[in-house]
Amino acid sequence: MHTPPVVSLQAWEAAREQLLVKEKAHTRARDALAAERRRMPWMAVETTYAFEGPAGKVSFLDLFEGRRQLIVYRAFFEPGVFGWPDQACRGCSMVADQVAHVAHLNARDTTLVFVSRAPQADIARLKARMGWEMPWFTLTDSFDADFGVGEWHGTNVFYRDGDRVFRTYFINSRGDEQMGSTWNYLDITPLGRQEVWEDSPEGYPQTPTYKWWNWHDNYVPDAAPDKKWVEVSDAGEAAFRDQPASTKA
């Protein structure tokens, strides 16, 4: 194996600083892409869809759990998948292994669900074995095919306004491999992270950076992070604002 050269601390730091310029540009480009995504046109969902959940039949609106935003990952788990019925698709299983605690998404008015064609008994057994806790429903109609995932895997994003639902985004193939973190999920939603630094259309909900962040078991009405953490966060945000633009990630 032909490895890179071994250099002094000074040379290593110089190389890192040189690469950091490109990394910061990449971060800014990613933020700009998310801002453009928040301005994509929406598509009205006119069809009524039904799913099977642990407690029986549920509607498409039920998947939102009362929240405004819904992310639906179509996982490939059904007869014909290698390892069926004990295993889901290996790639989909890797995605499931990476999903962050959904409480953080819920705190941003966003619900994440997985859907597959496997019966609920098989889904429940697989979730228990693998330690997965995200809501996972059984497809009963053409929902997956209608939204670009007739087989394999893909992620669709929806927005609910009362009883009206709109499709706002879709990603599949290698685009799915980055999913799992709270931030990447929020970045593909129409409302984004909902933090004040984001470039979002006028009137979109936004709250101060850091202050909504919480322990996953402490997202209850009127709960707040530790006061010291908020004070430190305020100081950090102020320091960030005072930096020259060229140094911000």
Side-chain angles (χ1 to χ4, degrees):
M1 188 169 89
H2 186 66
T3 62
V6 176
V7 298
S8 67
L9 172 62
Q10 292 76 14
W12 185 90
E13 289 183 340
R16 177 186 175 275
E17 288 296 326
Q18 186 175 12
L19 186 59
L20 189 60
V21 173
K22 296 180 180 179
E23 290 176 335
K24 287 181 179 292
H26 175 74
T27 298
R28 290 191 289 270
R30 186 179 63 216
D31 290 340
L33 186 60
E36 186 174 349
R37 190 181 294 123
R38 288 190 288 277
R39 291 167 170 82
M40 271 190 59
W42 296 358
M43 183 189 80
V45 178
E46 308 289 357
T47 304
T48 300
Y49 296 100
F51 305 81
E52 289 289 336
K57 191 172 183 178
V58 297
S59 69
F60 186 31
L61 282 174
D62 290 331
L63 300 191
F64 283 81
E65 296 182 347
R67 302 183 182 94
R68 282 188 290 184
Q69 301 191 129
L70 174 68
I71 302 170
V72 181
Y73 178 71
R74 198 281 196 187
F76 199 35
F77 182 38
E78 61 188 60
V81 173
F82 179 80
W84 170 264
D86 299 321
Q87 304 275 8
C89 157
R90 282 171 285 197
C92 295
S93 297
M94 286 187 68
V95 171
D97 276 336
Q98 297 176 75
V99 173
H101 202 290
V102 296
H104 304 297
L105 289 174
N106 297 165
R108 294 279 88 179
D109 210 6
T110 304
T111 299
L112 170 70
V113 304
F114 277 39
V115 297
S116 296
R117 294 213 164 267
Q120 277 298 297
D122 295 302
I123 290 174
R125 185 179 65 251
L126 180 66
K127 287 178 63 178
R129 174 176 169 238
M130 302 298 287
W132 298 331
E133 298 183 353
M134 73 288 286
W136 198 323
F137 297 90
T138 300
L139 294 157
T140 66
D141 46 38
S142 62
F143 177 88
D144 49 353
D146 289 352
F147 293 106
V149 204
E151 59 178 6
W152 300 109
H153 58 86
T155 303
N156 275 281
V157 185
F158 302 92
Y159 183 88
R160 181 182 65 85
D161 182 7
D163 289 340
R164 300 185 67 200
V165 176
F166 305 89
R167 187 192 194 194
T168 65
Y169 193 63
F170 173 65
I171 194 168
N172 64 356
S173 301
R174 284 199 64 196
D176 270 335
E177 72 182 21
Q178 65 176 322
M179 305 315 298
S181 86
T182 300
W183 307 122
N184 282 344
Y185 277 130
L186 290 177
D187 283 347
I188 66 171
T189 64
L191 299 182
R193 304 185 187 192
Q194 302 164 55
E195 295 184 343
V196 293
W197 62 269
E198 285 182 298
D199 175 11
S200 292
E202 184 178 355
Y204 274 41
Q206 292 186 321
T207 59
T209 309
Y210 304 118
K211 290 188 179 179
W212 70 272
W213 301 9
N214 217 326
W215 301 280
H216 74 253
D217 61 351
N218 202 40
Y219 284 115
V220 295
D222 301 322
D226 183 87
K227 183 179 179 181
K228 291 182 180 178
W229 165 242
V230 173
E231 291 171 351
V232 170
S233 299
D234 286 343
E237 186 173 5
F240 179 84
R241 288 196 301 267
D242 291 340
Q243 291 182 63
S246 61
T247 67
K248 295 180 182 179

